[in-house]
Amino acid sequence: MSSPPGRRARLPSHGSGRSSEAREALRRRLQGLIDGNRVMIFSKSYCPHSSRVKELFSSLGVECNILELDQVDDGTKVQEMLSEITNQKTVPNIFVNKVHVGGCDRTFQAHQSGLLQKLLQEDAAHDYDLIVIGGGSGGLACAKEAAILGKKVMVLDFVVPSPQGTSWGLGGTCVNVGCIPKKLMHQAALLGQALHDSRKFGWEYNKQVKHNWETMTEAIQNYIGSLNWGYKLSLREKAVAYVNSYGKFVEHHKIKATDKKGQESCYTAAKFVIATGERPRYLGIQGDKEYCITSDDLFSLPYCPGKTLVVGASYIALECAGFLAGLGLDVTVMVRSILLRGFDQEMAEKVGSYMEQHGVKFLRKFVPVMIQQLEKGLPGKLKVLAKSTEGPEAVEEVYNTVLLAVGRDSCTRKIGLENIGVKINEKNGKIPVNDTEQTNVPYVYAIGDVLEGKPELTPVAIQAGKLLARRLFGTSLEKVYHTLFWPLEWTIAGRDNNTCYAKIICNKSDHDRVIGFHILGPNAGEITQGFAAAMKCGLTKQLLNDTIGIHPTCGEVFTTLETTKSSGLDITQKGC
């Protein structure tokens, strides 16, 4: 079979040298071929699938740059590096205008759908190299990493207000209505328990101690506001364009951004990353959206919720029920079936038993069917009608607040994915991707909670965002890092910002093996003990980078170290 007219790419052979430097040089040369050619085909001269692809482009009259891996000295290493970059182990491996299309089958599928023709028509005249839709943990990590690697990047982020009118700033769920405020409210509850325990340690006080909800929420929201500002500043420092608008695809490579005033702007990009996350689910019963709140509303609620019904048995439901009870509120949890579905059930029942011993009531095997407002107020009074899941029994009870925690839905159905052909799971809105987070549309990627079959965890999204940017746009050599940090438990009390310090010392000649570990901060001994075992097992900087942090903790700072001491750059903490 004949190949189309085109240039045959040749790569110079290289001596062994330092392995990491040689691999980095090879990666840069391959990226140069991908970036510098309209169509780049990595092929083998005897492969029939490669020949089919060459004939396809020939029939379209498209000139290709072809690298025959069986005809260059380092073809095996090239194929290994391509596997790292694309997670595709076979040839042909095709890129069109910097977009990884895939192998033979995916190229023909793109041709049949019209996508290949669209990709071929694109040139370098995009507004951006990358547009990230969603300014949460994963989206921001991806955007900043791509910018560090020299790409022109935009972040689109817009929070649609909850049915109760709650919205928030840049940073996503974890920072605004998730991990951070949850742990701070949990800390408030722990302080109450510590006050109770303190009498047995000799502390004497006569004045009755009570909790002020408004003081707590004001302090928490002030801290979150500082994080929102820090994220904006971080994007600005890395020259990432931030637009507070709702993004929706209108055609291939083009997105419409609508701000809160309804003004529209359009932007184009070579690649897109969907990082829109999820929002709380409602029950679909009378009165749920009118009168109930969710975790979207709880952490900035301007009044104490009073007697509270928590509907659901997820970890979000139990965490919220736990700290509300710890703050002295009357709390009931309504459970449809079992606690913590998907978790070890022996542990789940122990959690439930502990919560019951500490004042949380459980109403098991019941679901609400109607919410009725009896009195307006802050809080008001709500009557809840619930029915048994095992029989005709029904119960009624009056609460001040009903908090729904019955699951979350992916924010993918109203961003125009159907306009460019991105497939989603119609049942749950999740986006299927391959092992490199690529959707069925080659230039569109997805990370975070919108992914099907992936953990819905902040550190996972952060790591995925960074790694995706490095796969798409290259990487840099690793060095030694340090940072200051601020324990979350110290933030609200205003204790000693940026005095805690973390540092590792690595042996660069031994794959950056960690030979020194330093931490100045709370629970330093507990943290060091765990890392000491890892060091005995040969811990390296790369292994730390590849480790998913437990969030939010002090120890996770070692998984996100970015600044080298020799660089002299600022190491004060600007986010959570």
Side-chain angles (χ1 to χ4, degrees):
M1 297 182 181
S2 60
S3 296
R7 303 180 306 278
R8 297 284 171 174
R10 293 285 179 178
L11 292 179
S13 60
H14 290 264
S16 55
R18 290 187 179 274
S19 175
S20 59
E21 293 178 1
R23 288 173 57 78
E24 184 62 23
L26 177 58
R27 181 188 291 270
R28 286 196 298 268
R29 292 198 304 276
L30 292 182
Q31 196 64 51
L33 288 172
I34 293 166
D35 292 346
N37 293 281
R38 184 186 181 201
V39 176
M40 184 66 216
I41 301 175
F42 296 93
S43 170
K44 289 182 179 176
S45 60
Y46 55 80
C47 172
H49 302 294
S50 297
S51 297
R52 285 188 64 206
V53 168
K54 296 170 192 173
E55 289 182 344
L56 172 63
F57 283 106
S58 179
S59 69
L60 297 174
V62 175
E63 185 178 2
C64 308
N65 199 22
I66 303 165
L67 179 65
E68 303 288 8
L69 303 190
D70 59 316
Q71 295 180 1
V72 294
D73 294 337
D74 53 357
T76 300
K77 292 181 179 178
V78 171
Q79 190 160 0
E80 290 174 356
M81 183 58 68
L82 284 171
S83 178
E84 286 187 18
I85 294 172
T86 67
N87 208 44
Q88 177 184 323
K89 298 179 180 179
T90 59
V91 294
N93 205 329
I94 299 108
F95 295 80
V96 177
N97 278 322
K98 305 180 186 180
V99 174
H100 180 232
V101 177
C104 180
D105 288 345
R106 292 198 66 172
T107 301
F108 274 88
Q109 289 169 5
H111 175 54
Q112 291 166 4
S113 68
L115 179 59
L116 182 62
Q117 287 76 2
K118 177 64 177 177
L119 290 173
L120 288 168
Q121 291 169 7
E122 297 295 334
D123 55 25
H126 293 302
D127 299 324
Y128 292 90
D129 297 307
L130 174 69
I131 291 180
V132 178
I133 309 170
S137 301
L140 292 178
C142 183
K144 289 187 287 187
E145 190 71 17
I148 289 171
L149 295 167
K151 299 303 174 181
K152 187 179 180 183
V153 184
M154 170 183 278
V155 170
L156 286 173
D157 185 68
F158 185 87
V159 178
V160 177
S162 74
Q164 298 301 323
T166 307
S167 60
W168 49 88
L170 183 64
T173 296
C174 173
V175 168
N176 293 283
V177 290
C179 320
I180 298 302
K182 178 263 297 182
K183 186 169 182 179
L184 290 172
M185 287 195 174
H186 180 69
Q187 174 70 4
L190 290 178
L191 290 172
Q193 182 65 51
L195 281 170
H196 180 269
D197 293 346
S198 68
R199 293 182 184 276
K200 296 182 179 180
F201 286 85
W203 289 96
E204 298 178 357
Y205 48 90
N206 298 319
K207 189 175 181 180
Q208 182 180 2
V209 178
K210 63 178 182 178
H211 182 262
N212 186 296
W213 176 274
E214 290 80 4
T215 299
M216 176 188 68
T217 53
E218 181 181 4
I220 290 174
Q221 289 305 310
N222 286 341
Y223 174 63
I224 290 173
S226 73
L227 294 179
N228 299 148
W229 171 250
Y231 289 127
K232 289 183 181 179
L233 184 61
S234 180
L235 292 180
R236 186 186 307 165
E237 289 173 345
K238 292 176 173 60
V240 175
Y242 163 58
V243 177
N244 183 206
S245 295
Y246 188 92
K248 182 176 182 179
F249 287 99
V250 290
E251 60 182 68
H252 282 294
H253 290 280
K254 187 175 183 179
I255 197 162
K256 178 177 69 176
T258 306
D259 66 17
K260 62 182 179 181
K261 296 180 180 179
Q263 296 179 341
E264 298 178 353
S265 302
C266 288
Y267 306 96
T268 62
K271 295 181 175 70
F272 291 83
V273 171
I274 300 168
T276 48
E278 297 180 311
R279 296 289 292 270
R281 184 179 302 148
Y282 286 79
L283 294 168
I285 63 172
Q286 181 180 333
D288 62 346
K289 290 187 177 181
E290 292 86 350
Y291 308 123
C292 298
I293 67 170
T294 69
S295 57
D296 278 0
D297 312 293
L298 177 64
F299 302 111
S300 59
L301 201 65
Y303 54 85
C304 179
K307 182 181 178 181
T308 301
L309 173 68
V310 179
V311 181
S314 64
Y315 66 85
I316 295 175
L318 298 190
E319 285 174 342
C320 293
F323 69 67
L324 290 174
L327 296 174
L329 303 184
D330 182 342
V331 179
T332 300
V333 178
M334 185 178 290
V335 182
R336 179 174 59 88
S337 55
I338 61 174
L339 299 180
L340 299 173
R341 182 178 300 278
F343 290 76
D344 182 291
Q345 281 303 295
E346 182 182 20
M347 299 300 293
E349 285 304 316
K350 287 183 180 296
V351 169
S353 176
Y354 180 88
M355 293 179 70
E356 284 185 300
Q357 292 170 21
H358 288 77
V360 177
K361 299 183 283 290
F362 285 86
L363 184 58
R364 294 176 181 256
K365 307 294 183 179
F366 275 86
V367 293
V369 292
M370 185 179 70
I371 313 292
Q372 181 181 357
Q373 186 181 60
L374 300 180
E375 293 181 13
K376 293 183 178 181
L378 300 175
K381 288 186 178 180
L382 302 173
K383 182 171 74 173
V384 178
L385 173 64
K387 290 188 177 180
S388 170
T389 61
E390 298 183 328
E393 184 182 0
V395 295
E396 283 187 3
E397 184 60 77
V398 176
Y399 301 93
N400 298 118
T401 299
V402 177
L403 171 66
L404 302 182
V406 293
R408 298 173 67 83
D409 293 320
S410 298
C411 301
T412 57
R413 299 186 188 275
K414 297 181 180 180
I415 59 174
L417 295 182
E418 68 280 2
N419 294 331
I420 58 170
V422 173
K423 295 178 181 177
I424 65 171
N425 183 323
E426 291 298 335
K427 183 177 180 181
N428 58 23
K430 298 279 191 177
I431 302 177
V433 295
N434 61 20
D435 290 340
T436 60
E437 282 88 33
Q438 188 181 40
T439 71
N440 64 297
V441 175
Y443 64 88
V444 180
Y445 298 78
I447 56 173
D449 293 354
V450 298
L451 295 186
E452 187 161 40
K454 303 291 184 181
E456 298 178 6
L457 299 169
T458 295
V460 174
I462 293 172
Q463 186 80 332
K466 289 182 177 179
L467 293 176
L468 174 59
R470 291 169 187 170
R471 282 197 301 270
L472 293 178
F473 304 118
T475 187
S476 57
L477 296 176
E478 310 291 359
K479 294 185 180 179
V480 181
Y481 299 87
H482 69 155
T483 189
L484 294 167
F485 66 95
W486 196 13
L488 184 63
E489 294 85 347
W490 292 12
T491 57
I492 298 304
R495 290 175 55 192
D496 305 327
N497 185 8
N498 284 306
T499 57
C500 295
Y501 181 63
K503 178 174 69 174
I504 59 171
I505 301 171
C506 302
N507 184 349
K508 293 176 67 176
S509 64
D510 187 15
H511 306 288
D512 276 348
R513 183 168 61 88
V514 178
I515 58 174
F517 178 93
H518 304 261
I519 181 169
L520 176 65
N523 305 308
E526 303 288 345
I527 295 170
T528 304
Q529 181 64 74
F531 280 100
M535 290 173 66
K536 294 287 286 185
C537 296
L539 179 67
T540 65
K541 179 62 172 66
Q542 189 59 53
L543 286 172
L544 282 174
N545 290 350
D546 294 342
T547 300
I548 301 299
I550 299 173
H551 183 71
T553 62
C554 292
E556 71 171 322
V557 70
F558 289 97
T559 69
T560 58
L561 292 171
E562 294 182 344
T563 305
T564 63
K565 191 171 184 181
S566 60
S567 72
L569 296 176
D570 179 32
I571 58 170
T572 55
Q573 188 184 47
K574 296 183 176 67
C576 68

